[in-house]
């Protein structure tokens, strides 16, 4: 059968779009060689750089720096320590070095940042955290694109989510970022409810009281959902091997490899950031995934060539 | 509004049933004081002893003992070691002692059993494990009730799942048992798909290869989903606080306490095993939960008095 390709209105009529619609057309064709039963129609998508913009820095990092800076305002003893110092002084050099080191396998500064984050949110309830994350996500603006952060979602990808769901796929976010940071707004910006958001998470414990108790964060990680942890956490959540996966970086390689197998071919999409005019142009952190895309028959989606529209119209101009 | 109470056909017209239908009638009454928005209609149920029979021993334990015995058959060096010795020799005294010790806070033998289980399944893929679990669950028979194990689900509870779903509730299993053991048959026996099964789990890792790779078990636990871990894992999976919870033992107390809060009252059900004629009669392991039910306004469901039917008709007689 032919699915409703018009649902992908913001995609140009290119080979990448053709691969997607061919895949879905065949997946829903009962009796066809590439038919996928509805229970196996699981589609997983990385978040930062795949469903929305991650430059000049991931949205979550902006939130964390704001929280760390506020903490340092209240506690002067932290101001001479990293990561509070960098957050308060807006020391982007320290942060940039941290990311460069990470790409070269040195996560010592990343660990300093993570420990600071865990310390900042320890003993906070998930409800309080959701409130402050939501407040940030509703009001914060992108520093360069002149729009709210929550308006930095990629329209073609949101269309792809709806298109897949229209044909029986269940969509999940499989983010390397913090699961609980995104949950308050994923339903609104992506149409994906909290229970279909997978991602990194801090340890949690139940704190009982006489009014139902609450779940609070512990000062340690539960799981950093990147690289080989992505398939593990996808499987833990869904109990299925996905057939559709979308990502944009080296950390998405195992997830993309895990989607589909010889007896049930998958659709693997890798977003290429090559549009410095409408978004950003970069491949740092994506080198291995682009190499794999060439050898593994993944579909590279060029923002510049494959998308007619990148972002929706702004709610209001600056 | 009045919901369709006839969906609970196997429940007698008792105060317990009245509490349930009153709760759901009010939850769906828009504008009412006890209205629950659809996104918050989350219902969680323990499995063993709540949705199906757990006596004379939990179904999963039977599976594990079978696997341990088979391993000991193949590896004679294990036969003199616990837990393989007990499994091979059907040494129910050792197992009974283990459970008694557990109820008194001594988990030393339980740890021996767990370590044996983890060692037995280490490096097995989740797909292989699902196959052998499913084979067991499709064919094994209850030792006393004269029926297949998968026919030991409680009809009134399955009706309750459908009744809740008919009014917009999303149902989850929150088992203390192994999540992956149950997943292969939950859709068939409870109408609950794999992605809505929460439970204990062994550690997992992704093992890459050229055909998509696989998820394999590690020889360590990821989480033992009992007591205060139940609310934590429910929240991790769903991103919500449930409003309906059902359990039957001390390990369900935190989950039942977590369901609802003063501003959004919950429905908390505690199954009481008091029917030695049709099922079993016991309160061992449920003492604290029964005490809490009295002080916390939970609803005790008596199998003897509240259920007209316990099990469905057998597929075939012995």
């Amino acid at each position: 059968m032919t699915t409703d390709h018009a649902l992908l209105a913001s995609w140009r009529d290119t080979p990448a779009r053709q691969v997607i619609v061919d895949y879905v057309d065949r997946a829903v064709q009962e009796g066809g060689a590439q038919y996928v039963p509805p229970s196996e129609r699981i589609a997983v998508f990385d978040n930062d750089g795949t469903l929305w913009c991650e430059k000049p820095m991931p949205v979550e990092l902006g939130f964390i720096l704001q929280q760390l800076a506020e903490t340092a305002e209240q506690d002067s003893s932290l101001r001479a320590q990293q990561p509070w110092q960098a957050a308060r002084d807006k020391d982007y050099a320290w942060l940039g070095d941290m990311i460069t080191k990470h790409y070269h396998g040195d996560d010592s500064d990343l660990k300093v940042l993570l420990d600071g984050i865990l310390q900042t949110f320890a003993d906070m309830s998930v409800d309080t955290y959701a409130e402050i994350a939501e407040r940030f996500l509703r009001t914060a603006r992108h520093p360069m694109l002149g729009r709210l952060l929550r308006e930095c979602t990629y329209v073609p990808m949101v269309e792809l989510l709806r298109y897949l769901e229209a044909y029986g796929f269940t969509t999940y976010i499989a983010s390397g970022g913090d699961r609980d940071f995104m949950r308050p707004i994923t339903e609104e910006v992506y149409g994906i409810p909290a229970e279909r958001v997978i991602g990194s998470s801090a340890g949690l414990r139940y704190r009982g009281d006489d009014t139902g108790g609450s779940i609070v964060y512990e000062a340690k990680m539960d799981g950093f959902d990147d690289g080989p942890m992505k398939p593990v956490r996808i499987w833990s959540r869904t109990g299925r091997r996905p057939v559709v996966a979308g990502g944009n970086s080296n950390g998405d390689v195992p997830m993309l490899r895990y989607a589909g197998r010889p007896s049930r071919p998958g659709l693997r999409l890798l977003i290429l950031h090559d549009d410095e005019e409408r978004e950003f142009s970069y491949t740092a952190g994506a080198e291995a995934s682009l190499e794999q895309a060439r050898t593994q028959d993944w579909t590279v989606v060029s923002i510049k060539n494959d998308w007619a529209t990148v972002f929706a119209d702004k709610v209001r101009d600056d």
Side-chain angles (χ1 to χ4, degrees), chain A residues 29-43:
Chain A
Q29 181 65 57
E30 272 189 78
Q34 293 181 47
Y35 175 71
V36 180
S39 67
E40 294 190 35
R41 292 181 199 163
I42 305 293

Side-chain angles (χ1 to χ4, degrees), chain A residues 179 183-184 186-187 192-198 237:
Chain A
R179 175 193 70 198
R183 276 177 158 171
T186 52
E187 175 97 52
I192 294 183
E195 63 269 25
R196 300 211 311 266
V197 179
I198 308 169
R237 182 73 70 88

Side-chain angles (χ1 to χ4, degrees), chain A residues 168-239:
Chain A
F169 287 81
T170 305
T171 56
Y172 288 85
I173 293 172
S175 177
D178 181 46
R179 175 193 70 198
D180 294 350
F181 173 68
M182 287 305 299
R183 276 177 158 171
I185 65 155
T186 52
E187 175 97 52
E188 179 183 323
V189 302
Y190 299 129
I192 294 183
E195 63 269 25
R196 300 211 311 266
V197 179
I198 308 169
S200 298
S201 56
L204 295 165
R205 74 171 186 281
Y206 177 65
R207 186 171 62 192
D209 63 26
D210 285 338
T211 59
S214 54
I215 311 282
V216 299
Y217 292 103
E218 295 192 298
K220 65 178 186 195
M221 283 300 285
D222 169 49
F224 190 55
D225 199 347
D226 200 34
M229 276 301 283
K230 283 207 175 191
V232 164
R233 287 170 83 92
I234 289 166
W235 199 90
S236 295
R237 182 73 70 88
T238 67

Side-chain angles (χ1 to χ4, degrees), chain A residues 32-160:
Chain A
Q34 293 181 47
Y35 175 71
V36 180
S39 67
E40 294 190 35
R41 292 181 199 163
I42 305 293
V44 294
F45 293 91
D46 171 61
N47 185 36
D48 296 307
T50 300
L51 296 180
W52 74 352
C53 179
E54 65 177 349
K55 292 292 175 187
M57 66 181 173
V59 170
E60 185 187 341
L61 186 55
F63 168 70
I64 285 164
L65 294 177
Q66 186 195 71
Q67 296 296 312
L68 291 174
E70 282 181 17
T71 309
E73 282 307 314
Q74 289 158 23
D75 181 351
S76 59
S77 71
L78 295 172
R79 290 178 204 165
Q81 288 177 47
Q82 296 296 16
W84 293 273
Q85 184 178 36
R88 184 162 176 270
D89 300 345
K90 299 194 183 351
D91 182 357
Y92 295 126
W94 186 84
L95 293 160
D97 284 352
M98 177 193 81
I99 291 168
T100 305
K101 284 181 180 174
H102 170 66
Y103 286 148
H104 292 90
D106 174 2
D107 281 344
S108 55
D109 282 355
L110 184 60
K111 189 176 179 313
V112 168
L113 178 64
L114 273 178
D115 287 346
I117 296 167
L118 290 166
Q119 192 177 322
T120 299
F121 296 111
D123 293 324
M124 184 182 282
S125 78
V126 294
D127 310 293
T128 301
Y129 181 78
E131 278 169 29
I132 60 173
E134 182 170 358
R135 198 179 314 137
F136 176 86
L137 287 162
R138 291 206 176 282
T139 57
R141 301 186 72 79
H142 192 283
M144 297 160 76
L145 294 172
R147 54 175 61 229
L148 292 169
L149 285 174
R150 65 188 161 90
E151 294 170 335
C152 294
T153 55
Y154 303 135
V155 174
M157 295 305 284
V158 176
E159 287 175 359
L160 178 58

